[in-house]
Amino acid sequence: MTAPFLSLDAITRRFEPRLILGDRIAARLGARVENRPVRAVTEVSLEIAKGETLGLVGESGCGKSTLGRVVAGILPPTSGTVLIDGKPVIEHGRKVTTRVQTVFQDPYASLDPRMRIGDIVAEGPIAHGLASKADAPGYVRDWLSRVGLDPDFAGRYPHQFSGGQRQRVAIARALAMQPDLLVCDEPVASLDVSIQAQIINLFLELRRELGITCLFISHDLRVVRHVSDRVAIMYLGRIVEIGATEAIYRDPQHPYTRALLGSVPKLVLEDDELVRFETISGEIPSPLAPPPGCTFHPRCPVAVEACRREVPVLFDDSDGRMVACHVRAMERAAMTKEGSA
Ligand code: SF4
């Protein structure tokens, strides 16, 4: 990998249960809950090179959207730093750069229904001096046409558009800020499959044209494989495996990655009859009470005693791939020993 453009150093983000549950529920559950913060993200360090797309995948509730919001400067980390080109994204709890922009899952919720889309796209660039009020109409028309929308639609309101068109507006709004890094959080999850393909193709075209760096968050493994140069697998707030996309999809090393890739819906047939869909056993544990040691151990088919006691740390497995697993670390050590014998 070339020099990092985005660097995350030991990012941890906790939430107080009182803020998540609301005062009344927290009070009913008592001091036990109030005193136990939820760790949504724990000690995540990673880097993204300029122009690279890193896919971030994991089950719902694994912390990937929280991490995306920290990278985008929307949520300050509880500890750790996010740097773009060596400069902080957040200082004193506030976002201090426009170099990161975000595209969210639900374009309808993220677009103000009372504003015309031309004003939605123009608002940020005018506020940050990227376009003057006089130039804004032309600037907006240019961005609308770059995302495949008729520039004459600038006077319409969000409810006058389809879901796919609204996501194009959201992309235009983000890119009109001329960001260096785009955080896409489940950008196609709420769209019909046929529209998903159009938006993904638009994303790929714009990325090629603008050379933009991207953190692409999704639970959809097929979409992530299609758009990402590298992929990071997240489980209960930690990165458990990270490396080149094709290497991970062809030969996953962490037991969770294997289980996740193995659970992409596919039929298990016997004598041409549907027997079952393959699934990951068990459920993702509550971040309020994560298991000790490796948090995947209650679901892991190859767990050993050390897994119940010690948190595995990421180690360099091979070819730049990092894996956090005791058993894989033992296998790798045995292979190295054999090779040097
Ligand atoms: Fe399984 Fe242990 Fe590896 Fe965790 S550390 S994934 S429990 S083998």
Side-chain angles (χ1 to χ4, degrees):
M1 195 174 117
T2 49
F5 179 63
L6 173 80
S7 313
L8 308 190
D9 184 22
I11 294 295
T12 292
R13 173 66 210 202
R14 293 194 207 95
F15 292 102
E16 297 303 321
R18 187 174 281 283
L19 292 178
I20 302 170
L21 301 170
D23 283 349
R24 272 175 45 206
I25 298 175
R28 217 182 302 149
L29 293 173
R32 211 167 19 99
V33 170
E34 288 172 54
N35 292 335
R36 200 190 295 156
V38 178
R39 275 186 181 224
V41 175
T42 306
E43 300 269 317
V44 168
S45 297
L46 56 81
E47 294 173 344
I48 307 181
K50 194 157 181 56
E52 184 185 41
T53 295
L54 178 74
L56 182 62
V57 293
E59 290 165 282
S60 298
C62 72
K64 55 189 189 303
S65 287
T66 300
L67 185 61
R69 282 170 158 70
V70 170
V71 171
I74 298 167
L75 270 180
T78 306
S79 59
T81 51
V82 182
L83 301 178
I84 285 199
D85 240 355
K87 299 193 185 74
V89 170
I90 293 180
E91 276 178 336
H92 310 298
R94 286 188 53 238
K95 184 175 177 182
V96 291
T97 180
T98 58
R99 297 179 76 184
V100 196
Q101 295 296 322
T102 318
V103 175
F104 292 106
Q105 171 176 348
D106 183 351
Y108 200 56
S110 68
L111 302 176
D112 187 335
R114 297 160 304 178
M115 289 176 73
R116 296 176 197 274
I117 63 153
D119 295 331
I120 290 173
V121 175
E123 192 179 32
I126 292 173
H128 291 92
L130 297 168
S132 66
K133 273 194 178 163
D135 293 339
Y139 190 75
V140 167
R141 288 179 71 84
D142 180 40
W143 276 109
L144 291 182
S145 61
R146 285 172 96 164
V147 299
L149 288 172
D150 185 338
D152 291 340
F153 288 174
R156 296 189 182 180
Y157 290 92
H159 73 267
Q160 295 176 285
F161 293 89
S162 66
Q165 287 175 320
R166 282 197 289 263
Q167 197 57 298
R168 287 176 191 268
V169 174
I171 292 170
R173 177 181 58 180
L175 293 181
M177 290 297 292
Q178 301 177 19
D180 295 305
L181 177 81
L182 198 58
V183 176
C184 297
D185 187 1
E186 302 276 10
V188 294
S190 64
L191 305 176
D192 292 341
V193 175
S194 58
I195 307 298
Q196 286 185 3
Q198 291 175 13
I199 297 296
I200 293 292
N201 288 339
L202 171 68
F203 167 76
L204 291 172
E205 264 169 43
L206 290 169
R207 187 184 66 175
R208 226 179 351 256
E209 191 185 315
L210 303 170
I212 210 158
T213 308
C214 186
L215 177 64
F216 195 98
I217 301 167
S218 178
H219 68 282
D220 189 326
L221 294 158
R222 285 166 293 197
V223 170
V224 168
R225 183 176 197 171
H226 194 61
V227 303
S228 308
D229 301 301
R230 287 187 309 137
V231 64
I233 314 291
M234 201 163 180
Y235 187 77
L236 216 61
R238 292 179 187 269
I239 302 294
V240 296
E241 184 162 5
I242 182 167
T245 304
E246 278 315 305
I248 287 190
Y249 276 74
R250 254 188 283 108
D251 187 22
Q253 292 302 336
H254 193 281
Y256 176 62
T257 315
R258 278 193 215 124
L260 196 63
L261 293 178
S263 68
V264 173
K266 58 179 178 277
L267 306 179
V268 178
L269 298 173
E270 265 174 31
D271 299 330
D272 279 347
E273 286 207 12
L274 172 63
V275 180
R276 62 192 155 82
F277 287 104
E278 290 191 344
T279 57
I280 304 179
S281 68
E283 296 210 345
I284 192 163
S286 164
L288 271 170
C294 173
T295 51
F296 188 57
H297 85 250
R299 306 171 79 185
C300 181
V302 295
V304 295
E305 188 46 38
C307 305
R308 293 175 185 85
R309 285 185 278 106
E310 292 161 36
V311 177
V313 291
L314 285 167
F315 71 93
D316 195 350
D317 186 84
S318 61
D319 297 331
R321 169 148 16 163
M322 308 287 284
V323 181
C325 172
H326 294 308
V327 168
R328 178 62 193 163
M330 288 188 269
E331 284 171 5
R332 172 55 58 189
M335 284 158 69
T336 309
K337 204 169 158 194
E338 254 174 44
S340 61

